[in-house]
Amino acid sequence: MNWLINDRFGMFVHWGPYSLAARHEWVKSREKLTDAQYQPYVDHFSPDLYDPAAWARTARAAGMRYAVLTTKHHDGFCLWDSDLTDYKAPRDLVEPFVAACRAEGLKVGFYHSLIDWHHPEFPLDGTHPQRDVRPIPERDVSVYRRYLHGQVRELLTRYGTVDYLFFDFSYAGRSEWWGGKGPEDWGSEELLAMVRELQPDILVNDRLGIPGDFVTPEQYQPSAPMPGLWEACQTLNGSWGYDRDNLDYKSADLLVKMLVDGVSKGGNLLLNVGPDGRGRIDPRATALLARIGGWMELHERSIRGCGPAEYHPPADCRYTRRGDRLYLHLFSWPLRHVHLDGLAGKVRYAQLLNDASEIRFVSTDPDQEAQNTRMGGQAPGTLTLELPVQRPDVLVPVVELFLE
Ligand code: GLC
């Protein structure tokens, strides 16, 4: 099993000058800012509290096992000391990130934007902050393509092993933006070949517009397993970059349910944080991650190394499985009994995962009808578990079933 499937849970980090505007990482496009209007954020990007070791510790404590940093977002600003531009942080911020991940035992990932709203030869399109400029200036995408390939080469040759690469994104033919770009513009085939040559074991996403190693549903949970490896990327509050006044936070239990739901369908969760302009993961994010970490501490067994199970779960439940263990996640807590299709005779022992307290089986005769104090028999093959009335005080209770 490759490490990505095993790990299941990673941290996405969106960070750059837009963190100072603190109103979404697309601020330059949304507000059609010129380079000059965006420049104050670049000039004041001076993250005095940048402590990637703290980020890595936060990720690990949340139960995450890999981290993915925006080396460059759509604004074109580079977090590493590129030789190919001056549009970059005053010091290399990627190197200490990589070192911190390694020290914490996290796999290292880079997000790299294909879109670039600063490069002078990136042709205007419907996403571009200067999309209304007329006449549309002549630009030569091949010059930008060389720059893109050169920068990816830098990123994959300077920091040792890079485990994961998230390109973002291709939009040729997408109706919401004119002038969309795709594999021809990026030189995707050639770029991917170079990536594989420089980092033979790297896992690359699917957003070069040609098949990669995994697909990347964004801000939705697939309703069924996606083809091949997949990883949902999700935000805490709808924004990727630090968004000070946005209070649309998901609850900790919803976030855990999203993680469980993904694993039950064979997928991963890449959960985002947007550190602020000083480099700190803000207290709202930290508090949510700590609660997820509290759950993971007790329930890691039902996530790590787990995948889908062949059984059909009861309503409001999700199964995950690893070897002879089947994990029943109860998104809502029923009164005293839960009936498991097709599991009669297949389970040797059951316990609550949070405290290893035994969960006993109830036997009912399939021919017996429900009547006053007597529960009805269930369809043949059903295993009925007897649950305590008190729901365990954890974000999502889990019953661990030891299969015969
Ligand atoms: C996008 C957005 C973006 C974010 C990303 C994460 O396509 O443009 O701002 O970085 O997806 O998946």
Side-chain angles (χ1 to χ4, degrees):
M1 187 187 268
N2 82 37
W3 67 266
L4 188 69
I5 304 184
N6 181 72
D7 288 0
R8 287 297 185 207
F9 190 25
M11 178 188 266
F12 215 170
V13 183
H14 277 70
W15 192 47
Y18 47 81
S19 310
L20 277 81
R23 51 185 193 276
H24 202 277
E25 77 285 352
W26 274 59
V27 59
K28 191 180 184 199
S29 172
R30 285 183 172 184
E31 300 179 15
K32 301 182 183 175
L33 304 178
T34 62
D35 283 345
Q37 288 169 319
Y38 196 69
Q39 192 59 29
Y41 309 126
V42 171
D43 291 340
H44 293 90
F45 185 64
S46 170
D48 60 324
L49 299 181
Y50 176 45
D51 180 1
W55 293 4
R57 276 197 304 278
T58 299
R60 182 146 196 115
M64 297 155 160
R65 290 293 178 270
Y66 58 105
V68 181
L69 173 67
T70 48
T71 49
K72 178 190 86 164
H73 203 261
H74 307 335
D75 64 357
F77 184 85
C78 299
L79 295 191
W80 81 103
D81 189 17
S82 175
D83 293 334
L84 304 177
T85 183
D86 292 328
Y87 202 57
K88 60 184 175 186
R91 64 196 156 98
D92 192 322
L93 301 169
V94 170
E95 193 275 323
F97 169 82
V98 171
C101 289
R102 293 229 180 85
E104 207 55 61
L106 303 176
K107 292 278 194 286
V108 174
F110 293 157
Y111 163 108
H112 196 71
S113 178
L114 299 166
I115 298 175
D116 193 313
W117 296 327
H118 178 75
H119 194 281
E121 294 298 339
F122 186 90
L124 299 194
D125 60 37
T127 72
H128 200 287
Q130 274 67 68
R131 57 190 168 274
D132 296 340
V133 167
R134 293 295 179 277
I136 298 173
E138 274 294 311
R139 291 184 170 185
D140 182 355
V141 75
S142 74
V143 177
Y144 172 69
R145 191 187 307 133
R146 265 200 304 282
Y147 172 80
L148 169 66
H149 290 213
Q151 289 207 316
V152 171
R153 177 177 289 279
E154 287 182 345
L155 288 166
L156 299 185
T157 51
R158 292 186 179 180
Y159 305 103
T161 302
V162 177
D163 302 289
Y164 172 114
L165 191 54
F166 190 117
F167 286 115
D168 195 36
F169 59 84
S170 296
Y171 50 118
R174 284 263 290 261
S175 55
E176 57 275 54
W177 298 295
W178 58 268
K181 298 181 178 61
E184 265 106 82
D185 303 283
W186 318 132
S188 294
E189 297 284 355
E190 200 189 331
L191 182 56
L192 187 58
M194 179 186 80
V195 168
R196 299 218 187 275
E197 184 197 316
L198 297 175
Q199 297 277 347
D201 296 325
I202 202 167
L203 297 172
V204 186
N205 76 342
D206 60 333
R207 295 192 185 183
L208 279 171
I210 57 175
D213 300 312
F214 60 98
V215 300
T216 53
E218 174 176 331
Q219 303 236 42
Y220 67 91
Q221 288 296 120
S223 51
M226 298 196 69
L229 298 191
W230 67 270
E231 174 196 66
C233 47
Q234 299 285 4
T235 61
L236 294 178
N237 64 359
S239 176
W240 301 91
Y242 181 61
D243 194 358
R244 183 191 57 206
D245 303 335
N246 175 342
L247 302 179
D248 199 15
Y249 284 91
K250 297 168 183 73
S251 63
D253 71 283
L254 176 55
L255 292 163
V256 167
K257 286 173 184 169
M258 289 157 59
L259 171 63
V260 168
D261 179 66
V263 177
S264 79
K265 292 168 186 155
N268 280 36
L269 176 63
L270 184 64
L271 185 58
N272 183 73
V273 295
D276 67 22
R278 296 188 68 182
R280 208 168 64 116
I281 301 178
D282 79 284
R284 296 169 294 196
T286 312
L288 280 171
L289 293 182
R291 293 195 63 205
I292 296 170
W295 185 86
M296 279 295 281
E297 203 180 338
L298 296 175
H299 300 91
E300 181 174 15
R301 290 220 290 272
S302 76
I303 298 295
R304 203 86 65 209
C306 290
E310 61 277 36
Y311 301 102
H312 182 70
D316 264 339
C317 294
R318 300 288 186 283
Y319 281 132
T320 65
R321 178 171 185 175
R322 181 173 24 79
D324 71 345
R325 306 295 172 86
L326 181 65
Y327 296 98
L328 170 68
H329 300 77
L330 295 125
F331 285 6
S332 82
W333 192 249
L335 171 69
R336 289 185 59 222
H337 303 106
V338 63
H339 307 286
L340 310 180
D341 265 15
L343 280 161
K346 296 194 177 154
V347 178
R348 103 185 116 80
Y349 187 75
Q351 61 182 9
L352 281 173
L353 187 50
N354 59 289
D355 66 355
S357 59
E358 185 183 6
I359 292 296
R360 297 202 285 183
F361 310 152
V362 180
S363 59
T364 53
D365 172 356
D367 296 327
Q368 165 185 307
E369 279 180 30
Q371 201 187 48
N372 54 53
T373 57
R374 198 180 64 184
M375 181 163 57
Q378 299 293 312
T382 304
L383 174 68
T384 298
L385 304 181
E386 188 167 80
L387 300 173
V389 170
Q390 295 295 313
R391 177 189 182 282
D393 188 19
V394 294
L395 295 172
V396 174
V398 180
V399 178
E400 182 173 45
L401 302 157
F402 295 70
L403 299 174
E404 289 288 358

